[in-house]
């Protein structure tokens, strides 16, 4: 079957090889491969095959555009992408967004979201997180600010909370979270869940979880998407494609450790047909994962 061949070719190549295939396809046939995939495939299988053809930054831009400009804003897509990307990844996705849609990502976030959720997304989208620097002498001070923000919950405190979580280095935040535990006797995630709600709370928790361990965060998101939402296809597709050449092996490992069943097993249980085959090929499970 041609679809099986398509799955083999596109899932068994890395992204740069797929881009070379698209270039050769254009040279040989004078046609755009993404356009042909869109015209000849359907449903979720199409989303997977087309998604694989984008460079990582372009794929993030594509997902953000649809999350912001679709019928309903998809807040969880915005959270997954912006809470987890490095400064360089954010810079590249903003460039891709501008090129692909002739729009400014930050302006679109500003117009399509609201409140402290919007402010935090806007801060993340600046891509100005300090990288690789930690100052133990200020960790307790930052932790105290976070603790006060969880107690007071004023607009000013929410701003301080998001400024620390969006701008301090991961190494610094590790120490801050430890100091927070010492000061409050409580884990920072539990404190945020107690004090805040809605998408603002989900975004803050996502940042903390990504600081601690990104593969664990994405394993948690995949498990929720598969089990809590009756298989939320968009989330599953997006995470598998976006993380396939970054940390998908680690995500699979965390998934199995945390939930007892493999990611491969759960996808097989919920998806079907060529769509299932494509997801499993990206997931690249081992024999014991059946």
């Amino acid at each position: 079957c041609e679809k099986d061949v398509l799955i083999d070719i596109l899932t068994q190549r890395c992204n740069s090889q797929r881009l070379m295939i698209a270039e050769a396809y254009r040279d040989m046939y004078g046609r755009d491969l993404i356009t042909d995939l869109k015209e000849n495939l359907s449903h979720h299988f199409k989303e997977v095959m087309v998604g694989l053809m984008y460079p990582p930054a372009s794929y993030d831009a594509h997902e953000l555009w649809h999350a912001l400009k679709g019928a309903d804003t998809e807040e969880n897509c915005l959270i997954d992408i912006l809470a987890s990307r490095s400064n360089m990844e954010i810079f590249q996705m903003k460039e891709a967004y501008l090129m692909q849609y002739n729009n400014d990502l930050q302006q679109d976030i500003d117009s399509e979201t609201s409140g402290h959720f919007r402010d935090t997304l806007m801060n993340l989208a600046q891509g100005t997180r300090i990288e690789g620097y930690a100052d133990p002498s200020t960790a307790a001070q930052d932790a105290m600010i976070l603790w006060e923000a969880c107690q007071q919950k004023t607009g000013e405190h929410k701003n301080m909370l998001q400024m620390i979580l969006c701008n301090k280095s991961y190494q610094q935040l590790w120490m801050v979270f430890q100091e927070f535990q010492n000061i409050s006797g409580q884990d920072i995630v539990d404190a945020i869940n107690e004090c805040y709600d809605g998408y603002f709370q989900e975004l803050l928790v996502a940042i903390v979880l990504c600081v601690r361990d990104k593969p664990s965060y994405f394993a948690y998101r995949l498990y929720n998407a598969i089990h809590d939402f009756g298989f939320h296809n968009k989330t599953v597709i997006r995470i598998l494609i976006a993380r396939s050449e970054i940390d998908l092996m680690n995500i699979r490992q965390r998934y199995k450790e945390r939930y007892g069943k493999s990611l491969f097993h759960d996808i097989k249980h919920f998806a079907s047909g060529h769509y299932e085959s494509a997801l499993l090929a990206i997931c690249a499970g081992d024999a014991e994962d059946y």
Side-chain angles (χ1 to χ4, degrees), residues 64 99 138 196:
L64 289 169
M99 270 180 63
T138 62
Y196 296 106

Side-chain angles (χ1 to χ4, degrees), residues 151-162:
Q151 304 305 304
Q152 312 276 351
K153 293 186 279 192
T154 66
E156 190 185 339
H157 282 94
K158 286 178 183 175
N159 287 341
M160 295 296 287
L161 179 65
Q162 60 104 346

Side-chain angles (χ1 to χ4, degrees), residues 93-120:
M93 90 174 58
K94 285 197 291 190
E95 281 205 320
Y97 194 94
L98 188 60
M99 270 180 63
Q100 285 161 227
Y101 305 108
N102 201 26
N103 275 41
D104 181 85
L105 174 60
Q106 282 165 283
Q107 284 178 6
D108 283 352
I109 290 170
D110 191 36
S111 63
E112 301 295 337
T113 59
S114 61
H116 290 285
F117 177 61
R118 177 192 60 206
D119 298 342
T120 312

Side-chain angles (χ1 to χ4, degrees), residues 168-187:
K168 301 282 182 175
S169 71
Y170 275 23
Q171 292 86 338
Q172 180 74 14
L173 288 173
W174 264 93
M175 292 190 293
V176 172
F177 299 158
Q178 190 55 56
E179 290 290 349
F180 185 94
Q181 179 93 39
N182 296 342
I183 292 166
S184 66
Q186 193 175 28
D187 185 79

